[in-house]
Amino acid sequence: MAKLRQKNPRAVRQAEEVRGLEHLHMDIAVNFSQGGLLSPHIHNVCAEAADSIYARQEDVRFWLEQGVDSSVFEALPKASEQQLLPRCGQLGDGRRPCVCRYGLSLAWYPCLLKYCHSRDRPAPYKCGIRSCQKSYSFDFYVPQRQLCLWDEEPRGR
């Protein structure tokens, strides 16, 4: 365990590699009360979710192959249909459906082994862990703007 400790845990870390923004369309709603069938951590991680949480069609295929009952999932408008709806940040009326966007950025996480070169060794050797930065943007359908109050985009964009 001593090898896993950081030498300077208070240091502000900078990512060595910046990976691009990944844009994900969440087109499936998962019944929150049955979310424990997918992972025992959902109720803790998503404790603020009222009725449902969101997933992608690819995720649902995986869970169905694992034997999860299809009644846990509800299809939402597809990404092509969502493109016809306004972004929630652009709506003034709080009762109309819209597409909500949630952004997440991981400023620093260990992502690869780091290999070093030395004059003493003919081949590269493992000498640490490479760090990365990654950002995600999640789009999902909400039946009313009031369910997406954090999506505040300046009007007119």
Side-chain angles (χ1 to χ4, degrees):
M1 288 300 283
K3 288 182 180 181
L4 297 176
R5 279 198 201 108
Q6 295 179 6
K7 291 181 183 173
N8 187 359
R10 290 181 188 83
V12 176
R13 311 263 183 231
Q14 294 292 323
E16 296 168 88
E17 180 182 332
V18 177
R19 296 184 172 182
L21 172 70
E22 190 171 344
H23 198 85
L24 303 168
H25 292 280
M26 313 307 279
D27 51 2
I28 301 290
V30 178
N31 184 328
F32 184 67
S33 64
Q34 296 178 313
L37 297 171
L38 308 178
S39 169
H41 306 290
I42 285 182
H43 289 290
N44 291 332
V45 174
C46 304
E48 295 179 20
D51 299 320
S52 60
I53 52 181
Y54 299 92
R56 298 174 304 155
Q57 189 66 46
E58 302 91 277
D59 303 324
V60 171
R61 268 188 242 116
F62 169 79
W63 288 318
L64 291 174
E65 289 171 4
Q66 303 303 311
V68 175
D69 188 69
S70 63
S71 65
V72 173
F73 310 106
E74 177 188 341
L76 295 172
K78 297 190 182 322
S80 59
E81 296 167 353
Q82 287 182 18
Q83 289 177 352
L84 302 174
L85 293 171
R87 281 271 313 276
C88 292
Q90 299 170 334
L91 269 183
D93 181 9
R95 291 177 287 281
R96 287 185 37 215
C98 55
V99 174
C100 186
R101 178 166 288 166
Y102 183 77
L104 173 68
S105 183
L106 302 173
W108 187 95
Y109 69 97
C111 57
L112 298 167
L113 285 175
K114 187 187 300 185
Y115 290 90
C116 296
H117 301 275
S118 170
R119 293 180 190 166
D120 302 336
R121 297 182 183 195
Y125 61 97
K126 296 177 200 171
C127 62
I129 296 175
R130 186 170 179 79
S131 60
C132 292
Q133 175 184 354
K134 179 79 175 162
S135 296
Y136 298 91
S137 176
F138 301 92
D139 282 354
F140 54 95
Y141 169 87
V142 290
Q144 53 185 322
R145 162 80 172 102
Q146 294 165 328
L147 297 172
C148 182
L149 297 177
W150 59 84
D151 191 358
E152 291 295 335
E153 182 176 285
R155 298 207 196 322
R157 249 193 198 173

